[in-house]
């Protein structure tokens, strides 16, 4: 047999083998090679809670505010402004520009950076509306991957679960820095600083502006100053994720302090914002990406390039929620109504922190629980072990993440004692 004939037979065999594989695939289905993906840990917790018929079940996994009655909450000012928008005959449903609603972009930048921000006055900030905080981060990391190639992202361990997935989708490398002392549930400041002190110039450090998710542990103002000092010395780039401004402490200015301090120090930086929590606009998907630049000319160039990232991703953002936020932020009367309402929401969560600690102390539950009241925002890192979490889920129908993180928004005066009793049992038995 000649070499030519052998090659011909080999090609024929490959063709026949491929045809056989195609026929097999066609018979089994085009997607027969796919398996069911595991449920998202947070969303999966909610699904399990919904399926549970137990009358005392609790959902402490979801990151959404609940009233004292355990119901979803729509801000009164949101309802008022929404009615005005609906009744306004001049309103349309046309596409927004790629960068979003101009009035929203102006308002959101002032909210995070401050009315008197030099960076805004000098037009050094490029702002685009985004599809909530997740969309903002997705655009921001994609921009970094494209225009700051080779950058490594430093991210806290633990962090919001979606952070790592978003960075991976942008094909960015990341390094985790220690954030929490496991025994005390307090900030691992020295360990964090030690790792950041090894970061190469040009690395991006992802920071939570306030109400760190999932721990609820924030640096003190002196610690923030030290972090800024280190990052300036090493030439590191801040990327703030701000999902809880005003929701964390009840004070919009206090929750923006770290961001404004970094801007005042002259950092070029990224800031993602979300209006899911502090406006209750979870389903409207309203957020923003801000990039602080060295000059106005650079900000103009950055904005044009961010738009090129957005266009093939989702083209342009939704209009309805942006109009709500823009109207509230631009009207002093509405703004004050919102700020008052937001403070009340924040204070309810703070009161539930204290109520839970008081109940645990009355039960003389082993351990120190004051970290629950020293933490801030929607979540608390309880320090419960996976085995203790299993007791809460299986025996008491209290649904939370395996890490022991709980959403304080799911606690109210009617179930806090039940939760404390369950925690006490888990700690003393598991």
């Amino acid at each position: 047999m000649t070499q030519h004939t052998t090659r011909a037979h080999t090609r024929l065999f490959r063709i026949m083998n491929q045809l056989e594989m195609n026929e097999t695939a066609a018979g089994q289905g085009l997607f027969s090679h796919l398996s069911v993906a595991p449920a998202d840990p947070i969303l999966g917790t909610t699904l399990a809670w919904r399926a549970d018929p137990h009358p005392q079940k609790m959902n402490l996994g979801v990151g959404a505010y609940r009233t004292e009655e355990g119901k979803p909450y729509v801000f009164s000012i949101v309802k008022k402004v929404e009615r005005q928008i609906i009744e306004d005959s001049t309103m349309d449903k046309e596409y927004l520009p790629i960068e979003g609603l101009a009035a929203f972009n102006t308002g959101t930048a002032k909210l995070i950076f401050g009315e008197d921000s030099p960076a805004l006055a000098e037009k050094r900030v490029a702002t685009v509306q985004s599809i909530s905080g997740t969309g903002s981060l997705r655009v921001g990391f994609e921009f970094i991957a494209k225009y700051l190639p080779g950058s490594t992202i430093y991210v806290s361990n633990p962090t919001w679960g979606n952070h790592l997935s978003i960075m991976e989708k942008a094909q960015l490398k990341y390094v985790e820095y220690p954030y929490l002392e496991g025994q005390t549930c307090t900030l691992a400041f020295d360990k964090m600083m030690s790792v950041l002190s090894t970061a190469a110039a040009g690395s991006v450090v992802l920071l939570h502006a306030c109400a760190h998710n999932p721990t609820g542990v924030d640096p003190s103002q002196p610690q923030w100053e030290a972090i800024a000092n280190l990052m300036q010395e090493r030439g590191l780039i801040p990327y703030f994720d701000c999902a809880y401004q005003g929701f964390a402490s009840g004070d919009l200015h206090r929750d923006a302090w770290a961001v404004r301090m970094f801007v005042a120090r002259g950092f070029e930086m990224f800031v993602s914002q979300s209006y899911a929590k502090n406006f209750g606009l979870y389903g409207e998907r309203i957020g923003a990406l801000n990039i602080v630049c060295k000059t106005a000319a650079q900000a103009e160039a950055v904005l044009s390039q961010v738009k090129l990232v957005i266009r093939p991703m989702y083209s342009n953002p939704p209009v309805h929620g942006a109009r709500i936020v823009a109207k509230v932020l631009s009207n002093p009367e509405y703004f004050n109504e919102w700020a008052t309402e937001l403070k009340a929401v924040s204070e309810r969560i703070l009161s539930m922190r204290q109520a839970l600690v008081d109940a645990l102390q009355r039960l003389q539950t082993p351990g120190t629980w004051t970290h629950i009241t020293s933490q801030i925002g929607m979540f608390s890192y309880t320090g419960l072990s996976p085995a203790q979490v299993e007791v809460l889920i299986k025996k008491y129908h209290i649904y939370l993440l395996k890490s022991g993180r709980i959403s304080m928004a799911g606690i109210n005066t009617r179930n806090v004692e039940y939760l404390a009793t369950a925690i006490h049992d888990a700690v003393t038995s598991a």
Side-chain angles (χ1 to χ4, degrees):
M1 185 180 291
T2 66
Q3 186 177 4
H4 176 76
T5 305
T6 302
R7 285 200 299 267
H9 282 180
T10 301
R11 286 197 299 271
L12 179 61
F13 175 79
R14 288 175 178 168
I15 291 170
M16 292 177 66
N17 189 50
Q18 185 63 52
L19 288 172
E20 184 178 339
M21 291 173 62
N22 290 345
E23 288 176 5
T24 301
Q28 293 179 348
L30 184 61
F31 304 109
S32 61
H33 61 292
L34 296 182
S35 58
V36 176
D40 178 270
I42 297 173
L43 302 181
T45 297
T46 298
L47 292 175
W49 170 80
R50 285 176 178 166
D52 189 339
H54 195 274
Q56 287 183 288
K57 66 181 182 180
M58 294 177 66
N59 184 2
L60 302 184
V62 67
Y65 181 75
R66 294 292 180 260
T67 65
E68 169 64 20
E69 295 71 37
K71 302 296 183 183
Y73 180 70
V74 180
F75 281 68
S76 297
I77 188 61
V78 168
K79 292 179 181 178
K80 177 192 287 190
V81 170
E82 196 163 39
R83 283 193 296 269
Q84 293 178 3
I85 292 171
I86 292 170
E87 293 168 2
D88 186 345
S89 60
T90 66
M91 288 293 177
D92 56 44
K93 297 292 186 181
E94 294 295 300
Y95 291 123
L96 286 177
I98 296 173
E99 67 271 25
L101 186 69
F104 168 82
N105 289 343
T106 297
T108 193
K110 287 181 179 179
L111 184 70
I112 188 63
F113 297 116
E115 292 274 353
D116 57 351
S117 170
L120 293 180
E122 295 161 10
K123 302 186 184 305
R124 294 190 289 108
V125 182
T127 300
V128 294
Q129 182 187 332
S130 65
I131 301 178
S132 202
T134 302
S136 173
L137 289 159
R138 184 69 180 88
V139 172
F141 286 134
E142 192 69 30
F143 180 89
I144 290 170
K146 185 173 183 179
Y147 298 109
L148 300 175
S151 297
T152 297
I153 313 297
Y154 279 75
V155 57
S156 67
N157 180 14
T159 192
W160 179 47
N162 219 13
H163 277 152
L164 303 185
S165 297
I166 297 169
M167 286 186 283
E168 287 167 359
K169 288 296 181 183
Q171 299 184 322
L172 286 167
K173 297 180 297 181
Y174 63 84
V175 174
E176 295 180 316
Y177 58 83
Y179 194 80
L180 194 73
E181 294 288 2
Q183 294 297 317
T184 59
C185 294
T186 56
L187 182 65
F189 180 69
D190 291 340
K191 294 175 183 176
M192 170 185 176
M193 294 291 279
S194 177
V195 171
L196 293 183
S197 69
T198 67
S203 297
V204 177
V205 182
L206 183 60
L207 302 161
H208 298 226
C210 61
H212 182 275
N213 181 2
T215 68
V217 175
D218 287 348
S220 65
Q221 289 190 2
Q223 287 172 331
W224 274 124
E225 294 274 8
I227 293 168
N229 288 340
L230 175 63
M231 290 183 64
Q232 277 189 319
E233 290 169 7
R234 298 203 60 82
L236 307 180
I237 304 167
Y239 193 141
F240 280 98
D241 185 3
C242 185
Y244 299 95
Q245 186 180 358
F247 192 98
S249 68
D251 185 328
L252 289 158
H253 299 293
R254 176 181 171 183
D255 291 347
W257 184 87
V259 172
R260 295 176 185 179
M261 181 268 290
F262 271 72
V263 173
R265 282 174 167 243
F267 278 96
E268 295 179 84
M269 54 193 275
F270 297 77
V271 183
S272 286
Q273 293 170 273
S274 168
Y275 288 94
K277 308 299 191 298
N278 58 9
F279 263 82
L281 295 175
Y282 305 99
E284 299 293 350
R285 312 310 292 146
I286 303 302
L289 171 65
N290 305 272
I291 304 178
V292 181
C293 306
K294 196 74 171 177
T295 67
Q298 290 178 17
E300 182 181 6
V302 164
L303 178 60
S304 70
Q305 296 295 338
V306 173
K307 288 159 67 173
L308 293 182
V309 172
I310 292 172
R311 177 60 172 154
M313 192 178 288
Y314 56 83
S315 197
N316 43 33
V319 66
H320 184 67
R323 284 173 173 161
I324 293 172
V325 175
K327 277 184 170 291
V328 172
L329 297 185
S330 63
N331 182 308
E333 179 185 342
Y334 294 168
F335 185 95
N336 289 334
E337 286 184 45
W338 168 60
T340 300
E341 202 170 356
L342 182 58
K343 184 174 177 61
V345 164
S346 174
E347 288 177 346
R348 194 191 84 74
I349 289 181
L350 290 171
S351 71
M352 288 302 99
R353 288 183 179 276
Q354 189 62 58
L356 179 57
V357 171
D358 290 346
L360 289 168
Q361 290 176 340
R362 280 195 300 273
L363 293 169
Q364 298 184 335
T365 305
T368 302
W369 299 97
T370 52
H371 58 272
I372 294 175
T373 47
S374 65
Q375 295 167 0
I376 196 168
M378 180 171 286
F379 303 110
S380 175
Y381 229 58
T382 59
L384 294 174
S385 69
Q388 293 165 345
V389 168
E390 279 297 304
V391 173
L392 265 64
I393 296 173
K394 298 291 177 58
K395 185 175 179 179
Y396 290 94
H397 308 268
I398 297 171
Y399 292 88
L400 66 160
L401 301 189
K402 291 181 180 179
S403 64
R405 187 205 81 168
I406 61 174
S407 171
M408 298 304 301
I411 304 173
N412 55 57
T413 56
R414 293 178 296 179
N415 62 23
V416 65
E417 294 288 345
Y418 178 72
L419 173 60
T421 300
I423 292 175
H424 181 84
D425 183 21
V427 170
T428 55
S429 66

